[in-house]
Every structure is written in C-alpha cells, then in structure tokens.
C-alpha cells in the first residue's frame, strides 16, 4: 500500500511486526468494505480475503497471522449474516477456504522464517571465519621481514647440511657436468644455409 511504501522507502524505516499487523487489518477492512458494497452473494471480490490472509501469513509471525485470519473470517461471516438470505453451505465453504489458506501459507511462512534464520547464522559464521583468517594473515604479516629472514636462514641451513650439488662441486674445485655438443657448432643458422 501507499503507507508502507512511504514508511519504508521515503522515510527509510523498517517494517516492524506492529506496522505489518496494522497494514493487514487495514487490508481486511478494505476488502470487507468492497465485498459489502458490491453485494456479498454476487461479489467477485470475496477472493481478496485469500490474498490478504496469505500476505499476512507470509509476513507476520504464526500467532499474529492466525489472529488476522480469524478476524478475516469473522468479518466475512458478519457481512454475509447481515445480508439476508444466508446460504450456510456457501459461507461454510468460503470460510473453510480462508482457514486452509491461512494454515498452508502460515506453514510456508514459518519455513521461510526458519530458512532465513539459518541463512543469517551461516552468514555470521562465515564472517567470523573471515575475521579469523584476516587476523591470522595480519599476525603472519606482523612477523614480516623477521619471519621471512628466519625462514631463509633455516632453508640455507638445510641446504648447507644436505649440500647443494652444484655448490658442493664448486667448493671441491670440480666443474659441474659438462655438456659438449659439437653438433651445435657445426649447425649454421637457417638463414645462412639458404
């Protein structure tokens, strides 16, 4: 509605449970007025109760949504009873549909809220893991050059203990393995051969 758009988009305020409850009550009253004006028995607008109840069940807590659905059923029954003659079968069927919509969309709304809470917990755990990884990187970087120098010294000590093959030969005065390839000397560049 215009009020919720103004409240949330223009003023930037969150849609609280109280605000959504008031909006649902207004929606039920508006639907009741439309049904009353257009004629209860012949009104095509009685189906709008289903939309109002479904919206309420998806957006509000289970208790509030069932309360709003019961109020919708009461309003519809009141409007129908005020108009004579009363068709009990049609009223009962319509009220049964309202209750079925309220229960089924309430169940779906509850499952969606559970999934949202699970997702929020997962996001919180992921953010915690990211912070821990960031702290670890900062701690590693805090060691910085000192840690890097220590690591290089350890690597040099290990290579000295085991000895690097080329360095060992040079220290002993022996040349490394030599690859004599006379065929390289005999080959001329391709440009010269042509």
């Amino acid at each position: 509605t215009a009020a919720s758009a103004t409240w949330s988009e223009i003023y930037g305020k969150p849609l609280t449970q109280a605000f959504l409850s008031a909006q649902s009550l207004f929606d039920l009253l508006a639907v009741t007025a439309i049904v009353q004006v257009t004629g209860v028995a012949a009104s095509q607008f009685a189906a709008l109760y289903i939309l109002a109840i479904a919206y309420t069940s998806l957006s509000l807590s289970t208790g509030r949504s069932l309360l709003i659905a019961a109020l919708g059923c009461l309003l519809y029954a009141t409007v129908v009873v005020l108009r004579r003659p009363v068709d009990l079968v049609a009223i009962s069927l319509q009220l049964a549909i309202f209750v079925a919509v309220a229960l089924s969309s309430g169940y779906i709304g509850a499952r969606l809220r559970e999934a949202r809470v699970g997702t929020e917990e997962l996001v919180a755990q992921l953010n915690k893991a990211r912070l821990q990884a960031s702290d670890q990187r900062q701690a590693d970087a805090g060691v910085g050059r000192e840690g890097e120098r220590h690591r290089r010294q350890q690597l040099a000590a290990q290579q000295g203990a085991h000895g690097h093959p080329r360095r060992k030969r040079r220290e002993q005065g022996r040349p490394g393995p030599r690859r004599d390839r006379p065929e390289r000397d005999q080959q001329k560049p391709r440009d010269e051969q042509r």
Side-chain angles (χ1 to χ4, degrees), residues 96-134:
I97 291 171
F98 293 166
V99 169
V101 166
L103 293 176
S104 61
S105 34
Y107 175 76
I108 292 169
R111 298 292 292 180
L112 288 173
R113 284 187 289 279
E114 288 174 11
R116 188 178 334 143
V117 169
T119 303
E120 290 170 357
E121 289 176 4
L122 184 62
V123 167
Q125 289 176 355
L126 180 61
N127 286 338
K128 183 179 177 182
R130 284 180 180 164
L131 286 173
Q132 288 174 347
S134 175

Side-chain angles (χ1 to χ4, degrees), residues 32-50:
T32 303
I34 292 170
V35 169
Q36 175 67 29
V37 169
T38 58
V40 179
S43 178
Q44 300 292 322
F45 296 104
L48 291 176
Y49 279 107
I50 294 172

Side-chain angles (χ1 to χ4, degrees), residues 63-165:
R64 287 185 185 200
S65 65
L66 290 177
L67 184 64
I68 297 289
L71 181 63
C73 290
L74 181 66
L75 286 172
Y76 180 73
T78 303
V79 168
V80 170
V81 168
L82 290 177
R83 293 272 181 147
R84 301 265 185 222
V86 177
D87 184 9
L88 290 179
V89 175
I91 293 172
S92 300
L93 183 61
Q94 192 73 358
L95 292 176
I97 291 171
F98 293 166
V99 169
V101 166
L103 293 176
S104 61
S105 34
Y107 175 76
I108 292 169
R111 298 292 292 180
L112 288 173
R113 284 187 289 279
E114 288 174 11
R116 188 178 334 143
V117 169
T119 303
E120 290 170 357
E121 289 176 4
L122 184 62
V123 167
Q125 289 176 355
L126 180 61
N127 286 338
K128 183 179 177 182
R130 284 180 180 164
L131 286 173
Q132 288 174 347
S134 175
D135 290 346
Q136 183 63 39
R137 280 193 301 264
Q138 288 176 356
D140 292 345
V143 174
R145 294 181 183 158
E146 188 64 34
E148 183 66 28
R149 186 171 45 125
H150 179 69
R151 196 166 20 141
R152 286 183 183 167
Q153 287 174 350
Q154 285 181 337
L155 184 61
Q158 287 175 355
Q159 286 180 350
H162 300 294
H164 194 279

